[in-house]
């Protein structure tokens, strides 16, 4: 018995063949564009991260007064020749901010080869005298520097075991004063957080009491000072006393 004859292949619709070829060309174009994009990204990555033309050659420091520029650079730890794009800005800012004198740091890249570290140092509110040195204290009560010489800031006489809260309360009282009154403060003493005493020039004294309502007390004080007197008790804003 003879085998059945093989049927001839079905004719391909010319229109279908055209659509298939068009899809194939589009697929090839997409692959080509994708390959080109990947290549471009690799080139960009090489330029930014590996190219010797975009590396750190200079580290600028702005805003440092107590700390030296070299101290800031050393804390930042940015090596010459480091990739400018590859710098971990947050980590560098954190390292600089750990310097006792620093409140904050912000890093800015200056293409193609420079870095600027904009620092903000802690503000000196008062200086606590201790064993022949002066402890610089900021608005939080934190000691951030020590010198042998007195600075242009009130001198605080505090107990040797003064707590952080007591230091902060004294700073709150002083920092709330108007510039005109603040320049008149010669010294401040506090045996506890409820017994803050300001010594002004002209032999005037202000019993501040606690740091509560410091803003209201600071607003009231110039009015009382204008009335004359030697001692001003504003521990209670609602019942001030002048003697």
């Amino acid at each position: 018995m003879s085998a059945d004859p093989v049927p001839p292949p079905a004719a391909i619709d010319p229109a279908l063949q055209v659509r298939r070829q068009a899809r194939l060309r589009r697929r090839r174009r997409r692959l080509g564009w994708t390959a080109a994009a990947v290549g471009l990204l690799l080139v960009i990555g090489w330029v930014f991260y590996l190219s010797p033309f975009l590396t750190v050659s200079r580290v600028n420091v702005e805003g440092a007064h107590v700390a030296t520029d070299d101290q800031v650079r050393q804390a930042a730890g940015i090596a010459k020749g480091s990739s400018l794009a590859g710098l971990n800005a947050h980590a560098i800012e954190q390292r600089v901010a750990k310097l006792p004198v620093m409140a904050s740091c912000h890093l800015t890249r200056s293409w193609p080869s420079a870095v600027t570290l904009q620092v903000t140092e802690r503000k000196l509110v008062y200086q606590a005298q201790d064993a022949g040195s002066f402890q610089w204290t900021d608005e939080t009560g934190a000691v951030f520097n020590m010198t042998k010489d007195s600075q242009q800031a009130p001198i605080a006489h505090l107990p040797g075991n003064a707590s952080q809260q007591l230091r902060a309360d004294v700073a709150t009282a002083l920092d709330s004063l108007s510039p005109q009154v603040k320049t008149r403060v010669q010294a401040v003493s506090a045996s506890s957080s409820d017994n803050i005493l300001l010594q002004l020039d002209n032999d005037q004294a202000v019993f501040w009491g606690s740091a509560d309502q410091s803003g209201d007390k600071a607003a009231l004080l110039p009015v009382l000072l204008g009335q004359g007197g030697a001692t001003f008790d504003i521990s209670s804003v609602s019942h001030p006393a002048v003697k």
Side-chain angles (χ1 to χ4, degrees):
M1 182 185 296
S2 62
D4 295 334
V6 177
I12 299 177
D13 184 352
L16 178 60
Q17 185 175 12
V18 169
R19 287 195 295 272
R20 287 178 176 174
Q21 291 175 348
R23 283 197 298 270
L24 181 59
R25 286 194 297 269
R26 287 196 297 269
R27 187 177 298 113
R28 288 173 177 171
R29 282 198 297 268
R30 283 197 296 270
L31 290 174
W33 282 112
T34 300
V38 171
L40 180 60
L41 289 175
L42 290 174
V43 171
I44 293 174
W46 179 86
V47 170
F48 275 89
Y49 291 94
L50 300 176
S51 170
F53 303 107
L54 296 178
T55 58
V56 178
S57 63
R58 187 174 72 256
V59 178
N60 303 315
V61 178
E62 297 179 355
H65 304 288
V66 178
T68 66
D69 290 357
D70 285 342
Q71 286 175 327
V72 175
R73 293 189 184 97
Q74 184 175 2
I78 304 174
K80 293 277 184 77
S82 299
S83 166
L84 192 58
L87 293 177
N88 187 331
H90 179 70
I92 294 170
E93 291 166 349
Q94 290 293 103
R95 289 198 295 269
V96 174
K98 286 182 179 179
L99 289 171
V101 73
M102 290 302 166
S104 65
C105 173
H106 178 68
L107 181 149
T108 302
R109 294 175 177 84
S110 300
W111 304 97
S113 59
V115 170
T116 298
L117 299 172
Q118 178 66 51
V119 298
T120 301
E121 295 181 336
R122 295 180 184 273
K123 182 179 70 172
L124 172 60
V125 177
Y126 67 87
Q127 47 193 336
Q129 193 169 7
D130 179 56
S133 64
F134 296 90
Q135 300 177 340
W136 295 22
T137 308
D138 70 2
E139 64 272 16
T140 69
V143 176
F144 63 91
N145 192 32
M146 293 182 65
T147 58
K148 293 183 179 180
D149 299 322
S150 175
Q151 307 299 310
Q152 292 297 318
I155 297 176
H157 301 284
L158 306 176
N161 59 347
S163 65
Q164 177 71 21
Q165 185 60 55
L166 177 56
R167 291 176 178 273
D169 288 344
V170 171
T172 297
L174 289 171
D175 210 29
S176 66
L177 295 172
S178 66
Q180 293 78 11
V181 175
K182 189 178 295 185
T183 57
R184 296 190 55 196
V185 179
Q186 303 296 301
V188 56
S189 61
S191 57
S192 68
S193 291
D194 294 326
N195 290 282
I196 299 173
L197 179 67
L198 310 182
Q199 187 65 50
L200 308 185
D201 56 12
N202 298 329
D203 293 325
Q204 291 179 314
V206 179
F207 181 59
W208 197 270
S210 72
D212 295 341
Q213 295 183 287
S214 283
D216 295 333
K217 294 175 182 179
L220 174 63
L221 184 56
V223 178
L224 298 180
L225 291 173
Q227 298 176 7
T231 305
F232 304 83
D233 184 346
I234 55 174
S235 57
S236 173
V237 177
S238 58
H239 296 89
V242 180
K243 297 180 180 180

PDB file of all heavy atoms in Angstrom, residues 120-134:
ATOM      1  N   THR A 120      28.242  75.028  61.073  1.00  0.00           N
ATOM      2  CA  THR A 120      27.656  75.941  62.050  1.00  0.00           C
ATOM      3  C   THR A 120      28.136  75.516  63.425  1.00  0.00           C
ATOM      4  O   THR A 120      27.892  74.381  63.855  1.00  0.00           O
ATOM      5  CB  THR A 120      26.117  75.895  62.005  1.00  0.00           C
ATOM      6  OG1 THR A 120      25.673  76.250  60.692  1.00  0.00           O
ATOM      7  CG2 THR A 120      25.515  76.868  63.017  1.00  0.00           C
ATOM      8  N   GLU A 121      28.841  76.420  64.088  1.00  0.00           N
ATOM      9  CA  GLU A 121      29.374  76.093  65.403  1.00  0.00           C
ATOM     10  C   GLU A 121      28.342  76.399  66.492  1.00  0.00           C
ATOM     11  O   GLU A 121      27.418  77.188  66.302  1.00  0.00           O
ATOM     12  CB  GLU A 121      30.654  76.888  65.663  1.00  0.00           C
ATOM     13  CG  GLU A 121      31.786  76.508  64.727  1.00  0.00           C
ATOM     14  CD  GLU A 121      33.064  77.270  64.998  1.00  0.00           C
ATOM     15  OE1 GLU A 121      32.992  78.378  65.564  1.00  0.00           O
ATOM     16  OE2 GLU A 121      34.137  76.762  64.634  1.00  0.00           O
ATOM     17  N   ARG A 122      28.516  75.757  67.621  1.00  0.00           N
ATOM     18  CA  ARG A 122      27.632  76.002  68.757  1.00  0.00           C
ATOM     19  C   ARG A 122      27.776  77.443  69.227  1.00  0.00           C
ATOM     20  O   ARG A 122      28.855  78.033  69.132  1.00  0.00           O
ATOM     21  CB  ARG A 122      27.951  75.035  69.905  1.00  0.00           C
ATOM     22  CG  ARG A 122      27.677  73.578  69.571  1.00  0.00           C
ATOM     23  CD  ARG A 122      28.022  72.689  70.757  1.00  0.00           C
ATOM     24  NE  ARG A 122      27.862  71.292  70.450  1.00  0.00           N
ATOM     25  CZ  ARG A 122      26.723  70.622  70.580  1.00  0.00           C
ATOM     26  NH1 ARG A 122      25.641  71.247  71.024  1.00  0.00           N
ATOM     27  NH2 ARG A 122      26.648  69.344  70.277  1.00  0.00           N
ATOM     28  N   LYS A 123      26.694  77.991  69.760  1.00  0.00           N
ATOM     29  CA  LYS A 123      26.695  79.385  70.212  1.00  0.00           C
ATOM     30  C   LYS A 123      27.067  79.467  71.685  1.00  0.00           C
ATOM     31  O   LYS A 123      26.511  78.762  72.521  1.00  0.00           O
ATOM     32  CB  LYS A 123      25.312  80.007  69.979  1.00  0.00           C
ATOM     33  CG  LYS A 123      25.216  81.470  70.382  1.00  0.00           C
ATOM     34  CD  LYS A 123      23.836  82.025  70.096  1.00  0.00           C
ATOM     35  CE  LYS A 123      22.794  81.441  71.025  1.00  0.00           C
ATOM     36  NZ  LYS A 123      21.474  82.099  70.884  1.00  0.00           N
ATOM     37  N   LEU A 124      28.016  80.351  71.992  1.00  0.00           N
ATOM     38  CA  LEU A 124      28.420  80.571  73.377  1.00  0.00           C
ATOM     39  C   LEU A 124      27.364  81.421  74.080  1.00  0.00           C
ATOM     40  O   LEU A 124      27.147  82.579  73.717  1.00  0.00           O
ATOM     41  CB  LEU A 124      29.779  81.267  73.425  1.00  0.00           C
ATOM     42  CG  LEU A 124      30.270  81.736  74.795  1.00  0.00           C
ATOM     43  CD1 LEU A 124      30.405  80.559  75.751  1.00  0.00           C
ATOM     44  CD2 LEU A 124      31.592  82.484  74.664  1.00  0.00           C
ATOM     45  N   VAL A 125      26.696  80.844  75.078  1.00  0.00           N
ATOM     46  CA  VAL A 125      25.689  81.568  75.845  1.00  0.00           C
ATOM     47  C   VAL A 125      26.282  82.075  77.151  1.00  0.00           C
ATOM     48  O   VAL A 125      26.056  83.215  77.554  1.00  0.00           O
ATOM     49  CB  VAL A 125      24.457  80.677  76.116  1.00  0.00           C
ATOM     50  CG1 VAL A 125      23.429  81.411  76.978  1.00  0.00           C
ATOM     51  CG2 VAL A 125      23.818  80.248  74.804  1.00  0.00           C
ATOM     52  N   TYR A 126      27.044  81.220  77.816  1.00  0.00           N
ATOM     53  CA  TYR A 126      27.746  81.652  79.025  1.00  0.00           C
ATOM     54  C   TYR A 126      28.959  80.779  79.236  1.00  0.00           C
ATOM     55  O   TYR A 126      29.131  79.749  78.582  1.00  0.00           O
ATOM     56  CB  TYR A 126      26.829  81.633  80.256  1.00  0.00           C
ATOM     57  CG  TYR A 126      26.378  80.260  80.703  1.00  0.00           C
ATOM     58  CD1 TYR A 126      27.135  79.486  81.578  1.00  0.00           C
ATOM     59  CD2 TYR A 126      25.163  79.729  80.258  1.00  0.00           C
ATOM     60  CE1 TYR A 126      26.711  78.232  81.995  1.00  0.00           C
ATOM     61  CE2 TYR A 126      24.730  78.478  80.676  1.00  0.00           C
ATOM     62  CZ  TYR A 126      25.511  77.732  81.544  1.00  0.00           C
ATOM     63  OH  TYR A 126      25.089  76.491  81.957  1.00  0.00           O
ATOM     64  N   GLN A 127      29.813  81.186  80.140  1.00  0.00           N
ATOM     65  CA  GLN A 127      31.016  80.425  80.450  1.00  0.00           C
ATOM     66  C   GLN A 127      31.026  80.107  81.940  1.00  0.00           C
ATOM     67  O   GLN A 127      30.850  80.991  82.776  1.00  0.00           O
ATOM     68  CB  GLN A 127      32.274  81.199  80.043  1.00  0.00           C
ATOM     69  CG  GLN A 127      32.261  82.647  80.494  1.00  0.00           C
ATOM     70  CD  GLN A 127      33.334  83.478  79.829  1.00  0.00           C
ATOM     71  OE1 GLN A 127      34.352  82.957  79.370  1.00  0.00           O
ATOM     72  NE2 GLN A 127      33.122  84.772  79.774  1.00  0.00           N
ATOM     73  N   ALA A 128      31.187  78.846  82.234  1.00  0.00           N
ATOM     74  CA  ALA A 128      31.233  78.397  83.618  1.00  0.00           C
ATOM     75  C   ALA A 128      32.686  78.306  84.051  1.00  0.00           C
ATOM     76  O   ALA A 128      33.499  77.636  83.400  1.00  0.00           O
ATOM     77  CB  ALA A 128      30.548  77.046  83.758  1.00  0.00           C
ATOM     78  N   GLN A 129      33.031  79.007  85.113  1.00  0.00           N
ATOM     79  CA  GLN A 129      34.403  79.006  85.598  1.00  0.00           C
ATOM     80  C   GLN A 129      34.642  77.793  86.467  1.00  0.00           C
ATOM     81  O   GLN A 129      33.879  77.486  87.382  1.00  0.00           O
ATOM     82  CB  GLN A 129      34.675  80.288  86.389  1.00  0.00           C
ATOM     83  CG  GLN A 129      36.148  80.539  86.668  1.00  0.00           C
ATOM     84  CD  GLN A 129      36.392  81.931  87.215  1.00  0.00           C
ATOM     85  OE1 GLN A 129      35.450  82.667  87.507  1.00  0.00           O
ATOM     86  NE2 GLN A 129      37.654  82.307  87.339  1.00  0.00           N
ATOM     87  N   ASP A 130      35.737  77.077  86.156  1.00  0.00           N
ATOM     88  CA  ASP A 130      36.018  75.845  86.894  1.00  0.00           C
ATOM     89  C   ASP A 130      37.513  75.588  86.896  1.00  0.00           C
ATOM     90  O   ASP A 130      38.123  75.400  85.839  1.00  0.00           O
ATOM     91  CB  ASP A 130      35.280  74.664  86.259  1.00  0.00           C
ATOM     92  CG  ASP A 130      35.549  73.357  86.979  1.00  0.00           C
ATOM     93  OD1 ASP A 130      35.319  73.290  88.184  1.00  0.00           O
ATOM     94  OD2 ASP A 130      36.006  72.412  86.304  1.00  0.00           O
ATOM     95  N   ALA A 131      38.099  75.596  88.082  1.00  0.00           N
ATOM     96  CA  ALA A 131      39.515  75.245  88.259  1.00  0.00           C
ATOM     97  C   ALA A 131      40.435  76.020  87.319  1.00  0.00           C
ATOM     98  O   ALA A 131      41.299  75.453  86.650  1.00  0.00           O
ATOM     99  CB  ALA A 131      39.715  73.747  88.075  1.00  0.00           C
ATOM    100  N   GLY A 132      40.233  77.312  87.236  1.00  0.00           N
ATOM    101  CA  GLY A 132      41.121  78.147  86.439  1.00  0.00           C
ATOM    102  C   GLY A 132      40.850  78.134  84.956  1.00  0.00           C
ATOM    103  O   GLY A 132      41.621  78.717  84.179  1.00  0.00           O
ATOM    104  N   SER A 133      39.797  77.487  84.517  1.00  0.00           N
ATOM    105  CA  SER A 133      39.442  77.480  83.094  1.00  0.00           C
ATOM    106  C   SER A 133      37.991  77.922  82.936  1.00  0.00           C
ATOM    107  O   SER A 133      37.225  77.962  83.897  1.00  0.00           O
ATOM    108  CB  SER A 133      39.638  76.097  82.480  1.00  0.00           C
ATOM    109  OG  SER A 133      38.748  75.171  83.075  1.00  0.00           O
ATOM    110  N   PHE A 134      37.649  78.251  81.710  1.00  0.00           N
ATOM    111  CA  PHE A 134      36.295  78.706  81.402  1.00  0.00           C
ATOM    112  C   PHE A 134      35.648  77.728  80.430  1.00  0.00           C
ATOM    113  O   PHE A 134      36.170  77.494  79.340  1.00  0.00           O
ATOM    114  CB  PHE A 134      36.321  80.119  80.813  1.00  0.00           C
ATOM    115  CG  PHE A 134      36.828  81.161  81.777  1.00  0.00           C
ATOM    116  CD1 PHE A 134      38.181  81.474  81.837  1.00  0.00           C
ATOM    117  CD2 PHE A 134      35.953  81.798  82.640  1.00  0.00           C
ATOM    118  CE1 PHE A 134      38.652  82.427  82.736  1.00  0.00           C
ATOM    119  CE2 PHE A 134      36.408  82.756  83.541  1.00  0.00           C
ATOM    120  CZ  PHE A 134      37.762  83.068  83.589  1.00  0.00           C
TER     121      PHE A 134
END
